[in-house]
Structures are given as C-alpha cells and as structure tokens.
C-alpha cells in the first residue's frame, strides 16, 4: 500500500531538484531599465551600470520597443546579450564604448555602432552585402586580427575606424585591396596598427574617400609609394604623422586629388628637405597641420615650421669605413679614397641633397642649428674638445707650479 506513495515522493523530489535551480535563476535575474537622455547630441535610451558576464540572467526594459538609439554607460558586458536584440528589434544605433566586450553583434537593422576601447576580437555580422544598412563602424582600440567579416558583408560603410588594433596589419602591411567594393567609404582610420608597408597592388578605387589616417605606424619612405593614393581622387585630409618617413614625393602626392590638409609631424625629414616640402605644399594650397607645436625635439633635431627636423649636425658626422685610417689627417690623401656618402633624393622639385653617412649623435652633443656661414657643427665638436684639452693642461701646470 505504501509503494505508490513512495513513488510519488520520489518523483516530487526529482522534479524539485530540477526545477528549484531554474526558479532561483529566474528570481535572481537582474532587471535594468534604460532612460531617455541626450547622448552624442541625440536622444538615446541609456542603460547604466549593467553587468553581464554571459552566464548571469538579465532583463532589459525600455519605455518603448521602438527605441532606435541605445547606449550602455559605465557597464561591463562580455558580449551583446540576446535580450538586447529581443527588446529592441528596431534598434539603429548602439553605443557600447568601453564595456569590456570580447565580441560584438551587428543585427539586421543596425546603421551605426560605437564599440571603441573594448577587447573585441570577433565581429558577428547579421547583415548581407545586398541588404546591409551599416553606415558607421567605430572599432578602434580593440584586439581585431581579422576584418574579412566586415569588409565582405558591410559594403555600404561610409565611416570605418580600425585604429589601435595593433595586430591587424598582417605581415606588417596595410593592404588597401582588402577594402575592395567599399566604394562609399568617406573616412578610413588605420592608425596604430603596427604597419610597415602600405600596398594597393590591385588598384582598388576609393571614389568617395576624403579622410585617411595612417599615423603612428612604422612606415618608412621605401615602403610608402605615393601612388597608392592615386585611386583616391577626392582625398582631402591625409594623416602620416609619427612614422619614420625621410622623404616624400610631394608632387605626385598633390597631383591627382583634392588634398587640402596633411599631417607630417614626428617623421625624420632633414631640415633642408622639410623646407622644400613645406614650400611645395604652400604653393599647392595644402595646409600643413601640426597638433603638437610645443613638442620638444630630440638631440640633433631642431624646430622648423612647428615640426622637428634633422639638422646638419647629423648629416656631417661621418662614420669611417674598415679601410679608412682614423689617425690620418686626410683619408683622401693617404688612401686615395673618400668617405662613403649617402645620396638623399629630394622629391620636391628636382633638388638632390647629398650628405655623408650619418649616425645618431652621442648624449653629450647639444642640439644642432642650421648655419649660414662656412663653419660646420662637426668643427664645433672638434674645437670644443681642443679647448677642453687646453684647459686641463693649464690646470695641471698651475698645480705643479
């Protein structure tokens, strides 16, 4: 008679074990409600202090399911909650800046996404190339390595910021061919991505691009062919600041576009070349913009046109070869060989500047200055050493006396 009762009790026990955790989880789900605020000069429904690690249950509420602008401020989200996509089916703009995201989702109707300063390494796109609505995508300062999901599906993008993804440049190269088909791009930011080269071997055209940022990379003159900008007929602003460029074909650069502003500070131009470069830019009505006019110049550099440039001090210090006689007063007289020189070809006009092979001056060398007389900075170094020796000899004689 007790067997049916025991079976019922056992069944209730099993059900309790299964249902209680689910009920507890539902009861513990945190509820967040957004409020309408002015954000980015627009009306957003703003969530604050949301915490979501991908495992805890949350509920997102809004004054209306038709809210189109949504922002998360002071929040920590591992990824975009599914509850967000369900609660805001008409969402057009999403702001999740500095939310600790490791991935992000671009839903069907989204047009603008602000997701800077996160840890994003994966972008999930729910839009197709034929129906994409995305116009603006801000993914700077993340951990992206592959952007093929973006360039393949979001063909109608007008603004794309990928700066600060330090491992984005594959083989240390910026291949502009990766952006093929994105003919509506007006602004493209590729700063601080660790690039040594800029390539466009496929000749991909950017008919609407007006602003390009390649600053704060490791670009050098030999790896920056100005012809890569020839496919950008509407280019107005070019940022090349803080690279390692020593020369620039300014005539080619200003020939086939509408360039109005250029940023060049923080490179390694000689003062003589920089003078010619600035003159050409002025003649071409291109504004040379300098952001850090009060920056201190390194030893051997001087301020000119609000930018630091390499002085003649670095250009006149020679490095002896293995066969040269260091003690000989004249290598040309004793060996019949001249000190090897390096030719720096100026691409502004037809001027060629020929300088000796240089090396970085020692810490004791003061900043050099351009001189109009026949004296050189190298002779000043020799004179300084001679005066020091004479002074030491005089002091020694006085002590003996």
């Amino acid at each position: 008679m007790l067997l049916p009762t025991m079976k019922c009790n056992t069944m209730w026990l099993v059900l309790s074990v299964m249902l209680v955790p689910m009920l507890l989880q539902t009861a513990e789900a945190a509820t967040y409600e957004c409020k309408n605020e002015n954000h980015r000069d627009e009306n957003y429904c703003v969530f604050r202090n949301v915490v979501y690690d991908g495992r805890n249950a949350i509920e997102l509420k809004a004054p209306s399911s038709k809210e189109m602008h949504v922002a998360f401020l002071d929040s920590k989200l591992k990824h975009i909650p599914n509850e967000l996509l369900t609660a805001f089916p008409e969402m057009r703009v999403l702001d999740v800046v500095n939310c600790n995201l490791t991935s992000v989702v671009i839903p069907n109707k989204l047009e603008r996404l602000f997701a800077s300063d996160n840890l994003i390494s994966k972008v999930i796109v729910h839009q197709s190339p034929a129906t994409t609505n995305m116009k603006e995508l801000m993914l700077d300062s993340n951990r992206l390595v592959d952007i093929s999901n973006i360039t393949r599906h979001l063909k109608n993008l007008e603004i794309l910021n990928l700066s600060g993804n330090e491992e984005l440049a594959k083989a240390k190269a910026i291949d502009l061919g990766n952006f093929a088909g994105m003919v509506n791009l007006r602004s493209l930011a590729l700063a601080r991505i660790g690039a040594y080269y800029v390539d466009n071997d496929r000749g991909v055209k950017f008919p609407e691009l007006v602003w390009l940022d390649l600053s704060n990379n490791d670009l050098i003159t030999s790896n920056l062919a100005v012809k890569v900008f020839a496919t950008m007929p509407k280019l107005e602003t070019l940022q090349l600041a803080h690279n390692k460029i020593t020369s620039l074909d300014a005539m080619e650069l200003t020939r086939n576009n509408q360039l109005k502003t250029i940023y060049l500070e923080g490179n390694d131009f000689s003062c003589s070349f920089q003078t010619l470069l600035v003159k050409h830019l002025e003649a071409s009505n291109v504004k040379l913009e300098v952001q850090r006019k009060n920056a201190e110049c390194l030893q051997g550099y001087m301020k000119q046109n609000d930018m630091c440039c390499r002085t003649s001090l670095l250009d006149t210090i020679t490095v002896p070869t293995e066969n040269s006689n260091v003690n000989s007063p004249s290598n040309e007289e004793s060996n019949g060989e001249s000190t090897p020189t390096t030719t720096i070809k100026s691409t502004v006009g037809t001027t060629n500047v020929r300088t000796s092979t240089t090396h970085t001056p020692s810490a004791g060398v003061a900043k050099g200055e351009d001189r109009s007389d026949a004296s050189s900075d190298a002779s000043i170094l020799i004179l300084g050493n001679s005066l020091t020796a004479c002074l030491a000899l005089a002091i020694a004689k006085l002590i003996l006396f």
Side-chain angles (χ1 to χ4, degrees), residues 93-150:
V93 183
L94 176 61
D95 185 335
V96 284
V97 172
N98 193 23
C99 285
N100 212 40
L101 287 167
T102 59
S103 66
V104 70
V105 176
I106 299 178
N108 285 323
K109 295 183 179 180
L110 198 68
E111 296 177 0
R112 290 185 288 157
L113 173 63
F114 302 95
S116 309
D117 300 310
N118 282 289
L119 306 172
I120 297 171
S121 59
K122 183 178 182 180
V123 179
I124 302 169
V125 181
H126 290 171
Q127 300 185 11
S128 66
T131 61
T132 178
N133 299 304
M134 282 294 292
K135 303 296 182 185
E136 183 174 1
L137 182 56
M138 308 296 285
L139 286 171
D140 49 303
S141 299
N142 279 287
R143 297 183 179 179
L144 292 172
V145 176
D146 183 13
I147 59 170
S148 59
N149 209 24
I150 296 171

Side-chain angles (χ1 to χ4, degrees), residues 19-36:
L19 293 175
V20 167
M22 296 176 62
L23 293 173
L24 288 175
Q25 186 176 7
T26 303
E28 293 175 358
T31 301
Y32 300 95
E33 186 171 355
C34 64
K35 296 181 179 180
N36 289 312

Side-chain angles (χ1 to χ4, degrees), residues 167-314:
E167 298 182 9
L168 185 59
K170 293 183 178 179
K172 296 296 182 180
I174 297 174
D175 186 0
L176 296 176
N178 291 332
F179 302 95
M182 303 181 75
V183 295
N184 294 326
L185 270 180
R186 294 185 293 107
S187 174
L188 178 60
L190 296 169
R192 306 189 320 277
I193 63 172
Y196 286 81
Y197 311 89
V198 179
D199 298 322
N200 191 8
D201 295 336
R202 287 178 276 176
V204 171
K205 298 185 182 300
F206 298 85
E208 301 298 326
L209 193 68
V210 297
W211 190 86
L212 177 63
D213 187 356
L214 300 174
S215 62
N216 290 282
N217 282 295
D218 293 304
L219 303 177
I220 62 176
T221 303
S222 60
N223 297 335
L224 179 63
V226 175
K227 65 180 181 180
V228 299
F229 306 120
T231 59
M232 308 169 186
K234 293 186 179 180
L235 187 64
E236 295 182 2
T237 301
L238 177 60
Q239 295 205 21
L240 293 173
H242 302 291
N243 280 286
K244 298 178 180 178
I245 305 169
T246 58
S247 181
L248 192 65
D249 191 341
M251 293 185 69
E252 179 69 22
L253 180 64
T254 57
R255 182 173 297 161
N256 298 316
N257 52 47
Q258 301 178 16
L259 195 63
K260 296 179 180 178
T261 306
I262 191 168
Y263 295 76
L264 293 172
E265 64 183 301
N267 281 289
D268 195 25
F269 301 122
S270 68
C271 292
S272 55
F273 175 82
Q274 184 169 295
T275 299
L276 295 173
L277 177 61
V278 172
K279 286 182 179 179
H280 176 78
L281 293 174
E282 289 177 350
S284 303
N285 295 318
V286 177
K287 181 180 180 181
L288 179 61
E289 193 71 53
V290 180
Q291 293 179 317
R292 298 179 58 193
K293 296 182 179 181
N294 297 323
E296 289 289 331
C297 297
L298 296 175
Q299 197 169 54
Y301 291 76
M302 65 175 288
K303 189 66 68 69
Q304 181 175 284
N305 308 110
D306 294 324
M307 300 190 304
C308 296
C309 60
R310 191 174 67 251
T311 66
S312 58
L313 173 63
L314 295 181

Side-chain angles (χ1 to χ4, degrees), residues 323-370:
N323 297 326
S324 62
N325 186 354
V326 178
N327 296 322
S328 174
S330 173
N331 289 332
E332 293 186 10
E333 294 178 3
S334 59
N335 298 331
E337 297 179 358
S338 61
T339 303
T341 59
T342 300
T343 300
I344 299 177
K345 185 178 181 181
S346 170
T347 51
V348 179
T350 58
T351 304
N352 287 333
V353 181
R354 188 174 180 83
T355 63
S356 302
T357 305
T358 63
H359 65 82
T360 304
S362 62
V365 182
K367 291 182 181 179
E369 297 180 356
D370 286 345

